[in-house]
Amino acid sequence: MHPETPNLDEHLARRGITRRHFLAFCGAIASTLALPRAAYATRIAAAFETRLATGQRPPVVWLEFQDCTGDTESFLRCNDPAVIDVLFDVVSLNYHETLMSPAGAAATRSLEETVAGYAGQYLCIVEGAIPTAAGGAFCLIGGRSALSIAQTVISQAALTVAAGACAVDGGLPGAQPNPTGAVGVARAVPNAPNLVNMPGCPVNGVNLMAVLVHYLTNGSLPALDSQRRPQSIYGTRIHQGCPRREHGEVDFYGDLRHRNGGCMRELGCKGPVTYSNCYRQNWNGGTSWPIGAGALCIGCTNANFWDTMTPFFAGGEVGEGGDDGDGDDDGDGDNNGGIGDGDDDD
């Protein structure tokens, strides 16, 4: 080790972080990926220490297209800011329109130099839909269409994460009638290498961090389902883990059952047909999540949810939809082709 290179403990101390705090973060990441907490936390710490010692900092390119910056905001608020700083100490954030200092031609040059100099090595995160109508003219950056930029950058990345519903399948810009021809990464760049889809509106920042940390630690992707979503994150139906499930169903907003934590299925909650870990992986540093705040699940991790899950706030039965990757498009996880499976678990 170079004598001027601090070890991990010294590096953490400079950030005001104890090793215990950092290992707790590593353990939380391991739990998110359904990996052994204690053993994997140590493995993550060792990988970070190695990268700090050797200066191996893979470049990161974060592309923003038709988006609201919600996924960036979610990521920045996912945990202790000091811990996020440690992550950015082991990668090099070369391009992010919202966070980078350069602008205009200088920003474009940063992107071009990263792609040219680190082809096959940089990590790419895509936020926002990619418009394809009119030759991609509905979103231009530095005179180039988002479609052209995406095809160039993603095709040469070591890893690409489609972060949020818009980047996965077009999201809100891609909702009917979709005048801009907005699509997700998989349709804009077929056969994108090492693509990980992480739907949500927005994606949970801890989940995104977990995928990045897994790749930095192992050099490989976490286990994915048939839709290229991390199984540990999108493998469980929200209704199964929802704390409101055990209580009586709510008839209308504000009634006694609603205030006492009743199930909101009859109000249109999409938790019974939506697969995500948000009931245990909350937002804003683990503060809360929509159902925890008394709101409905709108099914934002489901494919084309702006079309398939609406109306969001309505009484009666939950709308059909929700795909858990089991191949039958019903969202029930049992591969039998129907939302209900005949037992009493829903």
Side-chain angles (χ1 to χ4, degrees):
M1 181 183 298
H2 192 283
E4 296 182 359
T5 302
N7 61 31
L8 181 60
D9 289 340
E10 293 169 340
H11 193 85
L12 294 174
R14 293 179 182 180
R15 294 288 188 185
I17 305 171
T18 65
R19 187 175 184 87
R20 181 183 297 273
H21 184 182
F22 182 71
L23 288 176
F25 157 77
C26 295
I29 292 296
S31 296
T32 300
L33 296 168
L35 296 169
R37 186 180 179 99
Y40 206 75
T42 302
R43 184 172 178 177
I44 293 172
F48 271 49
E49 184 152 29
T50 297
R51 289 187 177 277
L52 288 170
T54 61
Q56 296 177 353
R57 301 177 65 211
V60 172
V61 170
W62 189 306
L63 303 175
E64 293 182 87
F65 298 130
Q66 287 177 307
D67 73 312
C68 66
T69 320
D71 301 296
T72 292
E73 295 287 352
S74 177
F75 183 74
L76 294 176
R77 288 161 175 75
C78 70
N79 210 300
D80 186 328
V83 175
I84 296 178
D85 285 343
V86 174
L87 174 63
F88 283 131
D89 286 338
V90 297
V91 299
S92 176
L93 186 60
N94 286 16
Y95 184 84
H96 190 309
E97 293 172 8
T98 302
L99 302 180
M100 67 191 304
S101 297
T108 299
R109 187 163 53 252
S110 295
L111 175 61
E112 293 173 345
E113 290 177 351
T114 299
V115 173
Y118 297 92
Q121 302 175 54
Y122 60 84
L123 314 182
C124 179
I125 301 170
V126 181
E127 178 175 5
I130 303 168
T132 60
F138 289 100
C139 182
L140 300 177
I141 303 171
R144 292 182 63 190
S145 70
L147 179 61
S148 172
I149 294 171
Q151 290 172 339
T152 298
V153 176
I154 294 171
S155 64
Q156 301 179 70
L159 165 73
T160 297
V161 179
C166 295
V168 171
D169 57 30
L172 177 59
Q176 294 300 321
N178 191 8
T180 67
V183 299
V185 170
R187 287 187 58 187
V189 189
N191 302 315
N194 284 339
L195 173 63
V196 179
N197 287 322
M198 301 193 70
C201 190
V203 68
N204 186 298
V206 174
N207 291 340
L208 175 55
M209 182 178 288
V211 170
L212 295 177
V213 169
H214 185 282
Y215 187 83
L216 292 170
T217 301
N218 302 288
S220 62
L221 306 181
L224 305 178
D225 65 17
S226 62
Q227 298 174 61
R228 302 199 64 80
R229 304 175 303 185
Q231 290 180 349
S232 61
I233 295 170
Y234 299 98
T236 303
R237 186 169 47 175
I238 288 175
H239 191 62
Q240 291 178 263
C242 180
R244 286 180 171 263
R245 177 185 176 187
E246 299 178 355
H247 303 283
E249 294 193 347
V250 175
D251 294 321
F252 57 89
Y253 276 108
D255 69 9
L256 185 60
R257 287 180 178 175
H258 182 245
R259 294 196 301 272
N260 290 336
C263 177
M264 296 182 287
R265 181 173 185 156
E266 290 301 312
L267 299 182
C269 182
K270 307 305 188 292
V273 294
T274 301
Y275 285 71
S276 182
N277 67 351
C278 46
Y279 62 89
R280 57 184 170 84
Q281 191 62 266
N282 294 173
W283 271 262
N284 296 328
T287 302
S288 189
W289 63 302
I291 291 178
L296 304 177
C297 167
I298 61 174
C300 69
T301 62
N302 289 312
N304 306 113
F305 82 99
W306 285 98
D307 292 325
T308 61
M309 295 288 106
T310 50
F312 295 138
F313 305 99
E317 296 182 0
V318 173
E320 292 189 1
D323 191 346
D324 55 356
D326 62 12
D328 61 14
D329 286 333
D330 61 18
D332 63 6
D334 58 15
N335 202 28
N336 67 9
I339 289 180
D341 57 8
D343 62 24
D344 60 358
D345 69 353
D346 53 49

